[in-house]
Amino acid sequence: MVETPKVAVLFGFGINCDRETAAVFELAGATSERVHVNHFVNGDRDLSEFHILAVPGGFSFGDHLGSGRLLGNRMRFAMREQLSAFVAAGKPIIGICNGFQVLVKTGLLPGKEVPDFEQRASLTLNNSGRYEDRWVTLEFDPESPCIWTKGITRIECPVRHGEGRFVMPSTVDLDSLDSNNQIVTRYVDPSTEPGNGITDETLPFPICPNGSIRNIAGICDPTGLVFGLMPHPEAAYATFLHPHHTRNEVSEEILAEGMQIFRNAVEYAQANL
Amino acid sequence: MRDVRGDSVKRQLAADHSINIDSVRSIVGFLIDSEITSEEVSTRVDDVFADPIIEESATDSLHLDNPTLFSESPDITITIGFKAGVTDNPGKAALDGFRTIFPEAGEDARVSTYITYVFQGVPEEVDADWLSKQLHNGLIERALYSTKGDKSPEIEYIPVAAIDYTPPATIDLEISDEDLIKLSEEGLLALNLEEMQTIQAHYRDSEVRSSRAAVGLPENAPTDVELECLAQTWSEHCKHKIFAAHIHHVDTETGEDTEIDSLFKTHIMNPTLEMKDEVDWLLSVFHDNSGVIAWDDEWSICMKAETHNSPSALDPYGGAMTGIVGVNRDILGTGLGARPIANTDVFCFGPPDWEGDLPDNLFHPSRVLRGVHAGVRVGGNESGIPTVNGAIVFDDRYIGKPLVYCGTIGMMPRRLADGRESHEKNPQPGDRVYMVGGRVGYDGIHGATFSSLELTEESPSSAVQIGDPITQKKMVDMILEARDAGLITCITDNGAGGLSSSIGEMAEYTNGCKIDLGKVPLKQSGLSSWEILVSESQERMTVAVRESDVPAFEKLADLHEVEATWVADFTNTGQFHVVHDDDTVASLPIEFLHDGVPQLRLESEWVKPVNTLFTPPSVSSHTPLLMRMLSRPNIASKETWVRQYDHEVIAQTALKPFVGVERDGPGDAGLLAPIHGSTKGLVVSNGISPRYSDIDAGAMAAAAVDEAVRNAVCTGVDLSKVAGLDNFCWPDPIESKKTPDGRFKLAQLVRANRELERICRAYFVPCISGKDSMKNDYGSGENKISIPPTLLFSLFGDHPDVRYTTTSDLKPGESLYLVGESKQELGASEISFMLKESGEADGIGGEVPQLPNPEKNLGAYKALTKAIQSGIVRTAHDCSEGGVAVAIAEMCIGGRCGAAIDVDGPGDADLWGRLWGESLGRIMVGVKQNNRAEFLSMMKGHSLTYMGETIDSDSLSIWDGDDLVIEAPVEQMVSAWKGSLDMTGGEQ
């Protein structure tokens, strides 16, 4: 049993949400360290030192050649064994925004029980053709095995991407993802009742900000340990970051709903590692 | 699979040119020059170059020849690639990815990228050559095209042509004055006769001659390296010679006849230094890359704003991108290295819907807008720095020269682990000087001197560069780690003037340096000594390291895959000494280099400009005017543009650029909570009002400062700790044959500086850093276009708790108040320009907004910020362009809420003045009914007028006593405000 889980937050090569990602894990009760990707690639550090791995948002390698592809390649070719061992040890991994794109391009998502590092899905240009920063409403599959999202019905947080449209080669692939409850979170219409927002019908812009198939915002692997999503829950860590905070009463508690995802992983690590 | 890239081109052609094309498809291509065979490459294409889930790949063949992908021969095919030597960021990334797969690829492997657009169903009148020009910039890109039935274009890899190394030359200065001028002009040195003569005199000095002989340099004449180095260091860009000039100023209105010894010292530096004596939080002003103030006991903050006007005129995308990543480096080069935490962007463009003539070589304003926006978007977003505040201003005169102001805020720990204060540099003789980041190339020669000249058709393309945010991001990561490990003794940016400026400036600390140009890593071989020294190639910092820290520093560079090369040493010889391998190529006394430039003597004469008076037409209702005003580009929503900036990375942005129920109402200022878990805040705001210069540039400056302060007040800023940045963009104010009205333009500068000082002193806003760009003209003679004199005033300051702040959107159940007074000030107002342009009024003349009694405004501002900090005010909005009418309309838009107000009240302004006048010092405030009594008691003694209430209806009613003068449904206001600058081409 680990009391204070250690989180490795990757940085370098254009990752740029590493500081806030490290900060929210600390606020959730973990200790976190920003570790340059090359420490793992060169082998002078090892993933086994850590209990949780976070691949934050950013523009790794400028997203040239497709978002997340080049960092995904470095991880796929140079960190393969460490990543396999990490997953085999039952340790949670999260990829946010560019980190999600990286995990999809490495093949860890949607992935297999035992990672084979084959790419099965992709995240591509938004239908609008534009990068945009705007807040969205997310709803979560209550039946999902994802350890990161237990007990969460709905949250609001920002998307900040130009390549967030989730695609898979066929509807069969999507159906199997769906039946495994790996479609963890989707964009929903905020005017629907919480718990009743999820739909397969692609919702209009800007409710679904990128034209993602079945409004998919995030998925997990079959074990529920590896989770990736395009929106940024870490950017909704505090009440005063919500766009409507001046329309509400000032609250004494500053931590907000985005924190739950990170708390879930910390609690999971405390209970299981 | 949908081709979004192609669809975007289709939509843009529809939006900008009303051309409807059936389909546009895109093909991304890579040209690889390496020892790996194409058979080997073809087996791994889907690992690097294509995404197997969404793309088709092909090696050594054109997709266009594949009938399953392209069954019909396209109407037009256009292929665009970079010209040789132009920064190709995707190519660089592709090479990195290529090497991951093929580590054996070798040192000489190269990848360049191109894109092919395939058009089907093109209207007959669309010409392929014209179309290709809309899609590429001939200065930096090449395009090939074919039309139906032709062979598809095949683009080839073009290696960078080898340049022959030219050894340093000796320049004979014992020539006539006429020839000295000719030498300066033809060599793009941008030095005047007196400056050339000062250099000439230096080489006649017998002591100089004997010291030169000792190092093996020509005794009585400069080398080209020395002359270029002096030209860079003495350029207007680096030395701010106009702000430092001795000015004889005459005012024909008042009869004043005075001498001014430096506008900068008199009106900016001295007031700030006097304020510095009164407070303990001004840590570093003027001498560093940005000014630094204390934020709390642990952290300090700094801010800098730059302009990148000329490069953005030539290549809007590349110019603006280098502008934003360049000012980020100013922050990184402050003290021992600050971390950029927020960007601000303010642009001035010609009207996006301009239908008049365009002078040669100028882009249409809509293209400048798109390009600059894209450059700043990519530069900011990829660097992971949020864009938190900004503005876009439109005026016909910015067609000749757009203004691109990029600002950055930085943060650093007050003290490093080793106890050193991080805002102070402390290099010692013997420290090693590293060049870190990018390499030196031919792409950055003569930027500083070029920006000190006016733009002509012959302006060189080497003045334009494309930034590389990822190379810079790696460098930032590495340098911040080096700083925290205590490895840096001195750091500065390589911007204008390149190594000659960066090492030259740092060498003032130790009084000397020795640079070896032979060690400098180059993008291409063959650069001559002077080119290496002055090249402004991007993404480079100059860093000094103690010899004992060298191994740790180099190890860190390796980890981050950042190139760091030892290129110089600090000395205390008093000389700026440059060698190229074994030969000395320059040796200049540090003192002469930095302080040798002679002071300019300039003439200034103020003659009050004559403007036809603005006489409002008679109208039966002001409602249609409100709808027109809301869609004016200067007022309309810029949301589709601003949403494309990441404004929330770092998870600290407590006030977004767009606010309210639908998150589409205007924000006034940026508010950050930069320490995660803490509510302590930092405010950033901007003020700009260039059109007031048409009547009085002094009023223009006062308005800019007041607007920045008002915007900050709306957030609840702590007014006891705010600092400002003055950023002047002016037309050439030196009288000459090509600038016959130079005296007047200089008098405008004098008046602007005087008002800047007066208002900053009154508000206690020290200017801690600034910038000037003084040659914002295009063309000559009758066709000359000069920008309106423009001051951007940026402000940053403390906020006690970001939870206690306001937004502009009305909340239900609020009473509405106006802080400040409406006066009869319609001169140069937005409504006057609108009605003059439409022919409904004859002129824009009249009383321009003034600040006769700023102390009174400050009193009201302080009371209001206290009320906001106490939590009883949650709604406030600055009154600026379009006055009270536009301000309340915007508040209704943000709140999706109706309101009824009465503009009748104290003061002697008429209805037009009360509705549309732009009097300074005014803020509209909404207060919940149960907080009214407390609010009124807190505002007691200050100018405050009750205006009305929010109402439970969906329209805005504005009354003038018993007359209903505006009745506007909120939804109509929303469409008017959001429609005009949405240039996305509609459908998603």
Side-chain angles (χ1 to χ4, degrees):
Chain A
M1 290 295 170
V2 50
E3 205 172 307
T4 313
K6 287 171 70 180
V7 185
V9 177
L10 288 188
F11 88 108
F13 301 120
I15 289 172
N16 62 32
C17 300
D18 43 307
R19 287 172 195 273
E20 61 266 39
T21 305
V24 294
F25 275 110
E26 298 255 338
L27 290 169
T31 56
S32 55
E33 182 182 345
R34 294 162 55 244
V35 187
H36 195 282
V37 177
N38 273 353
H39 280 302
F40 295 124
V41 169
N42 299 341
D44 55 60
R45 302 289 298 272
D46 196 281
L47 275 180
S48 63
E49 298 169 38
F50 298 91
H51 304 102
I52 296 172
L53 171 65
V55 190
F59 277 88
S60 54
F61 295 95
D63 278 354
H64 303 299
L65 281 69
S67 55
R69 167 156 295 265
L70 293 173
L71 183 56
N73 272 355
R74 285 223 180 185
M75 290 172 64
R76 190 152 66 109
F77 296 119
M79 291 170 61
R80 193 176 179 120
E81 279 157 28
Q82 289 181 64
L83 284 166
S84 296
F86 198 83
V87 173
K91 293 176 175 176
I93 300 178
I94 190 168
I96 301 170
C97 195
N98 197 227
F100 179 29
Q101 294 161 338
V102 167
L103 295 182
V104 166
K105 307 281 164 101
T106 57
L108 282 170
L109 284 175
K112 294 253 181 194
E113 288 278 344
V114 178
D116 60 1
F117 297 92
E118 286 289 320
Q119 183 183 343
R120 292 186 172 79
S122 198
L123 289 149
T124 185
L125 296 168
N126 298 349
N127 271 346
S128 66
R130 297 194 298 275
Y131 175 103
E132 281 202 334
D133 177 341
R134 62 167 71 243
W135 279 59
V136 293
T137 305
L138 298 177
E139 207 161 292
F140 295 80
D141 176 0
E143 308 295 321
S144 173
C146 183
I147 66 102
W148 292 84
T149 58
K150 296 285 175 215
I152 307 176
T153 306
R154 182 177 275 202
I155 65 167
E156 288 179 285
C157 64
V159 287
R160 309 194 306 254
H161 62 247
E163 297 182 47
R165 182 163 52 111
F166 184 83
V167 287
M168 287 186 93
S170 74
T171 49
V172 179
D173 300 317
L174 286 160
D175 289 343
S176 104
L177 209 60
D178 200 4
S179 61
N180 288 337
N181 300 99
Q182 285 178 257
I183 303 180
V184 180
T185 179
R186 310 197 206 192
Y187 305 104
V188 297
D189 182 342
S191 67
T192 55
E193 274 298 306
N196 286 321
I198 287 179
T199 169
D200 280 353
E201 203 72 26
T202 301
L203 292 164
F205 176 88
I207 293 172
C208 176
N210 46 33
S212 213
I213 195 156
R214 299 191 190 184
N215 308 302
I216 294 174
I219 60 171
C220 67
D221 75 338
T223 69
L225 288 165
V226 185
F227 175 45
L229 76 171
M230 287 311 299
H232 287 271
E234 83 285 5
Y237 89 85
T239 51
F240 52 78
L241 297 178
H242 193 285
H244 286 172
H245 76 97
T246 58
R247 299 186 70 81
N248 305 328
E249 293 296 315
V250 172
S251 77
E252 273 308 306
E253 175 56 59
I254 65 163
L255 295 183
E257 58 190 10
M259 284 300 300
Q260 193 55 43
I261 288 177
F262 306 98
R263 279 198 202 105
N264 279 341
V266 171
E267 283 164 15
Y268 178 88
Q270 285 166 337
N272 296 284
L273 299 176
Chain B
M1 190 70 59
R2 182 171 174 175
D3 183 344
V4 171
R5 217 178 265 114
D7 286 353
S8 295
V9 168
K10 185 176 140 173
R11 277 208 297 266
Q12 192 174 317
L13 288 167
D16 286 1
H17 304 287
S18 307
I19 291 173
N20 294 305
I21 289 168
D22 289 350
S23 100
V24 185
R25 292 168 72 185
S26 66
I27 304 165
V28 178
F30 300 88
L31 300 164
I32 301 166
D33 178 25
S34 89
E35 288 158 20
I36 311 293
T37 65
S38 51
E39 286 73 34
E40 288 173 276
V41 172
S42 69
T43 61
R44 304 298 298 273
V45 161
D46 288 349
D47 276 331
V48 203
F49 299 108
D51 182 333
I53 306 294
I54 52 172
E55 292 170 323
E56 292 274 353
S57 60
T59 311
D60 272 354
S61 67
L62 290 181
H63 278 311
L64 285 162
D65 300 337
N66 179 345
T68 58
L69 291 174
F70 294 94
S71 54
E72 255 184 89
S73 163
D75 286 352
I76 296 175
T77 306
I78 298 173
T79 291
I80 298 162
F82 288 106
K83 285 184 166 173
V86 174
T87 303
D88 177 356
N89 289 321
K92 219 184 260 185
L95 180 61
D96 196 290
F98 187 66
R99 287 213 167 102
T100 302
I101 308 284
F102 297 106
E104 69 278 21
E107 264 304 292
D108 296 335
R110 295 284 179 272
V111 180
S112 73
T113 57
Y114 67 88
I115 187 157
T116 301
Y117 294 107
V118 185
F119 298 83
Q120 293 284 17
V122 181
E124 265 182 32
E125 66 275 15
V126 176
D127 171 63
D129 189 59
W130 177 87
L131 190 57
S132 87
K133 287 205 170 77
Q134 305 314 306
L135 296 173
H136 86 288
N137 178 358
L139 208 56
I140 52 167
E141 290 165 321
R142 57 203 165 112
L144 307 171
Y145 57 84
S146 65
T147 50
K148 204 173 185 77
D150 290 352
K151 193 173 171 308
S152 309
E154 282 186 55
I155 196 163
E156 305 263 325
Y157 183 86
I158 307 183
V160 180
I163 308 166
D164 286 333
Y165 170 78
T166 319
T170 304
I171 313 288
D172 184 8
L173 291 187
E174 295 304 328
I175 51 178
S176 69
D177 288 353
E178 212 170 71
D179 286 340
L180 283 176
I181 285 295
K182 207 170 138 196
L183 180 67
S184 169
E185 280 174 4
E186 287 177 358
L188 286 177
L189 301 177
L191 295 171
N192 67 21
L193 179 61
E194 198 188 347
E195 289 155 357
M196 289 299 284
Q197 287 169 332
T198 304
I199 296 172
Q200 185 186 50
H202 175 75
Y203 291 92
R204 287 175 178 171
D205 184 312
S206 59
E207 266 181 54
V208 169
R209 288 185 171 181
S210 56
S211 75
R212 294 177 64 76
V215 291
L217 282 170
E219 283 176 45
N220 51 7
T223 61
D224 55 358
V225 185
E226 290 171 321
L227 195 56
E228 289 285 349
C229 179
L230 285 166
Q232 295 298 324
T233 312
W234 290 10
S235 67
E236 175 57 40
H237 190 97
C238 296
K239 273 280 176 260
H240 313 287
K241 291 182 284 197
I242 293 168
F243 263 82
H246 183 100
I247 294 172
H248 174 223
H249 176 67
V250 174
D251 185 331
T252 62
E253 254 189 304
T254 61
E256 181 194 355
D257 187 320
T258 42
E259 304 285 329
I260 303 164
D261 181 17
S262 170
L263 288 170
F264 172 68
K265 276 190 200 149
T266 310
H267 298 296
I268 298 170
M269 190 173 89
N270 289 343
T272 294
L273 293 179
E274 283 171 34
M275 286 186 244
K276 190 167 186 272
D277 289 339
E278 292 179 45
V279 296
D280 60 359
W281 46 266
L282 284 171
L283 298 180
S284 165
V285 291
F286 302 125
H287 69 272
D288 206 338
N289 288 309
S290 71
V292 187
I293 70 175
W295 190 60
D296 63 11
D297 292 341
E298 280 179 59
W299 299 94
S300 56
I301 49 177
C302 53
M303 185 171 181
K304 173 80 172 179
E306 273 279 1
T307 52
H308 230 221
N309 308 335
S310 299
S312 302
L314 290 174
D315 174 22
Y317 176 75
M321 199 208 289
T322 48
I324 192 71
V325 296
V327 73
N328 293 163
R329 286 197 307 276
D330 279 321
I331 294 305
L332 189 63
T334 296
L336 295 173
R339 178 168 65 92
I341 61 164
N343 286 334
T344 62
D345 300 299
V346 176
F347 308 139
C348 303
F349 297 134
D353 52 355
W354 177 251
E355 287 178 359
D357 291 339
L358 271 186
D360 290 345
N361 286 352
L362 291 181
F363 290 122
H364 190 273
S366 67
R367 187 159 172 188
V368 177
L369 165 59
R370 279 192 196 284
V372 166
H373 170 263
V376 165
R377 180 191 74 220
V378 170
N381 291 1
E382 292 192 7
S383 302
I385 303 168
T387 298
V388 298
N389 190 245
I392 308 180
V393 178
F394 298 98
D395 184 279
D396 296 357
R397 290 161 285 181
Y398 294 117
I399 286 175
K401 196 84 152 278
L403 302 186
V404 176
Y405 290 101
C406 300
T408 302
I409 294 181
M411 191 161 209
M412 57 184 154
R414 292 279 295 271
R415 280 179 190 282
L416 298 180
D418 58 19
R420 284 182 297 159
E421 292 194 290
S422 62
H423 65 272
E424 284 179 353
K425 303 183 197 289
N426 37 42
Q428 298 297 321
D431 284 356
R432 286 192 186 179
V433 182
Y434 280 79
M435 188 180 96
V436 180
R439 294 184 155 214
V440 171
Y442 198 67
D443 52 346
I445 313 265
H446 273 156
T449 48
F450 161 69
S451 75
S452 304
L453 297 165
E454 72 277 18
L455 199 55
T456 68
E457 289 174 24
E458 286 80 36
S459 298
S461 63
S462 66
V464 176
Q465 300 193 63
I466 295 177
D468 174 2
I470 297 306
T471 294
Q472 179 151 318
K473 174 70 175 154
K474 290 194 289 184
M475 175 176 78
V476 173
D477 286 346
M478 179 239 159
I479 280 174
L480 293 176
E481 288 209 349
R483 175 200 71 188
D484 290 341
L487 305 178
I488 294 175
T489 66
C490 193
I491 178 167
T492 198
D493 156 42
N494 277 284
L499 289 172
S500 106
S501 289
S502 69
I503 302 182
E505 279 167 23
M506 290 188 355
E508 272 195 291
Y509 286 97
T510 63
N511 196 31
C513 65
K514 186 177 177 188
I515 306 174
D516 185 352
L517 299 176
K519 289 181 179 166
V520 176
L522 304 177
K523 289 184 185 173
Q524 67 248 65
S525 61
L527 264 71
S528 61
S529 307
W530 73 265
E531 288 169 330
I532 298 172
L533 191 62
V534 305
S535 167
E536 294 167 14
S537 288
Q538 295 287 304
E539 290 88 36
R540 293 181 296 147
M541 298 296 290
T542 296
V543 182
V545 180
R546 282 180 298 266
E547 204 174 344
S548 55
D549 291 328
V550 160
F553 186 79
E554 293 190 348
K555 194 175 162 204
L556 211 46
D558 283 346
L559 175 74
H560 287 261
E561 298 182 25
V562 170
E563 191 162 31
T565 315
W566 174 25
V567 297
D569 296 280
F570 281 133
T571 65
N572 53 8
T573 60
Q575 292 288 311
F576 180 79
H577 187 185
V578 185
V579 301
H580 197 147
D581 299 325
D582 298 329
D583 303 322
T584 290
V585 294
S587 181
L588 291 162
I590 292 278
E591 203 182 343
F592 180 65
L593 183 64
H594 289 294
D595 304 321
V597 63
Q599 190 182 30
L600 283 177
R601 299 188 73 88
L602 301 175
E603 290 292 327
S604 159
E605 185 181 62
W606 172 251
V607 182
K608 194 180 178 184
V610 181
N611 284 289
T612 307
L613 200 65
F614 168 63
T615 314
S618 69
V619 294
S620 55
S621 161
H622 285 261
T623 308
L625 288 177
L626 176 63
M627 294 304 172
R628 286 165 65 192
M629 283 288 276
L630 287 173
S631 64
R632 293 278 290 171
N634 277 329
I635 290 172
S637 170
K638 283 90 185 169
E639 187 186 353
T640 48
W641 303 94
V642 174
R643 282 237 173 267
Q644 296 180 55
Y645 302 137
D646 187 337
H647 52 261
E648 297 188 86
V649 60
I650 316 184
Q652 57 180 5
T653 310
L655 283 177
K656 322 292 181 195
F658 287 89
V659 300
V661 176
E662 301 290 333
R663 298 153 192 175
D664 59 0
D668 284 319
L671 176 62
L672 309 174
I675 302 299
H676 298 116
S678 160
T679 59
K680 183 169 160 58
L682 164 58
V683 176
V684 54
S685 64
N686 286 290
I688 187 166
S689 201
R691 284 172 158 181
Y692 294 176
S693 289
D694 287 0
I695 294 174
D696 179 6
M700 180 278 295
V705 180
D706 190 57
E707 186 183 15
V709 172
R710 285 195 316 271
N711 280 323
V713 165
C714 288
T715 69
V717 71
D718 176 359
L719 281 170
S720 68
K721 202 204 261 184
V722 287
L725 278 75
D726 55 285
N727 206 314
F728 287 86
C729 284
W730 232 251
D732 189 357
I734 300 178
E735 186 181 34
S736 68
K737 212 160 84 186
K738 59 188 184 203
T739 311
D741 56 351
R743 288 179 187 223
F744 172 69
K745 287 168 172 168
L746 189 61
Q748 290 183 303
L749 189 66
V750 170
R751 291 174 79 85
N753 272 276
R754 287 177 170 180
E755 281 293 271
L756 174 70
E757 175 183 355
R758 185 174 70 89
I759 307 303
C760 286
R761 280 186 187 272
Y763 287 168
F764 204 89
V765 183
C767 292
I768 59 160
S769 178
K771 192 70 207 295
D772 55 87
S773 163
M774 306 301 289
K775 307 273 170 173
N776 293 291
D777 310 274
Y778 174 86
S780 57
E782 278 181 17
N783 299 320
K784 179 169 174 171
I785 310 174
S786 292
I787 64 155
T790 307
L791 169 68
L792 169 69
F793 196 80
S794 306
L795 178 147
F796 68 120
D798 259 15
H799 193 289
D801 185 335
V802 298
R803 290 174 298 171
Y804 297 90
T805 189
T806 75
T807 46
S808 70
D809 48 304
L810 292 176
K811 288 93 186 166
E814 286 184 330
S815 298
L816 306 173
Y817 295 89
L818 180 67
V819 176
E821 291 162 46
S822 299
K823 301 176 210 160
Q824 189 63 18
E825 291 174 322
L826 287 159
S829 61
E830 189 63 25
I831 192 115
S832 73
F833 273 94
M834 180 177 88
L835 295 174
K836 178 175 175 259
E837 283 164 24
S838 66
E840 291 160 90
D842 295 330
I844 55 99
E847 292 297 322
V848 71
Q850 299 274 2
L851 269 181
N853 190 355
E855 292 76 13
K856 195 175 154 196
N857 296 9
L858 182 65
Y861 293 164
K862 282 189 168 162
L864 179 57
T865 53
K866 290 222 165 61
I868 293 169
Q869 288 164 11
S870 77
I872 60 169
V873 180
R874 302 292 270 168
T875 301
H877 190 30
D878 162 44
C879 258
S880 52
E881 293 92 343
V884 165
V886 166
I888 185 70
E890 289 176 341
M891 295 167 83
C892 291
I893 290 169
R896 287 297 193 282
C897 175
I901 64 167
D902 183 355
V903 291
D904 194 13
D908 49 13
D910 67 13
L911 176 61
W912 282 78
R914 289 167 195 276
L915 279 179
W916 307 110
E918 298 175 2
S919 296
L920 304 175
R922 295 181 307 164
I923 294 171
M924 284 284 290
V925 177
V927 183
K928 293 259 189 203
Q929 263 109 9
N930 58 342
N931 289 324
R932 274 176 69 157
E934 197 183 344
F935 176 69
L936 291 174
S937 98
M938 291 184 88
M939 292 301 292
K940 207 170 167 143
H942 302 292
S943 174
L944 186 75
T945 310
Y946 171 71
M947 302 295 283
E949 302 285 327
T950 59
I951 49 174
D952 191 15
S953 91
D954 54 5
S955 74
L956 165 66
S957 312
I958 302 183
W959 297 79
D960 178 24
D962 293 333
D963 300 329
L964 182 62
V965 292
I966 287 179
E967 174 73 33
V970 173
E971 280 311 316
Q972 270 185 36
M973 296 195 292
V974 170
S975 356
W977 191 64
K978 289 179 76 171
S980 68
L981 281 179
D982 178 4
M983 292 155 63
T984 55
E987 69 165 300
Q988 302 300 335

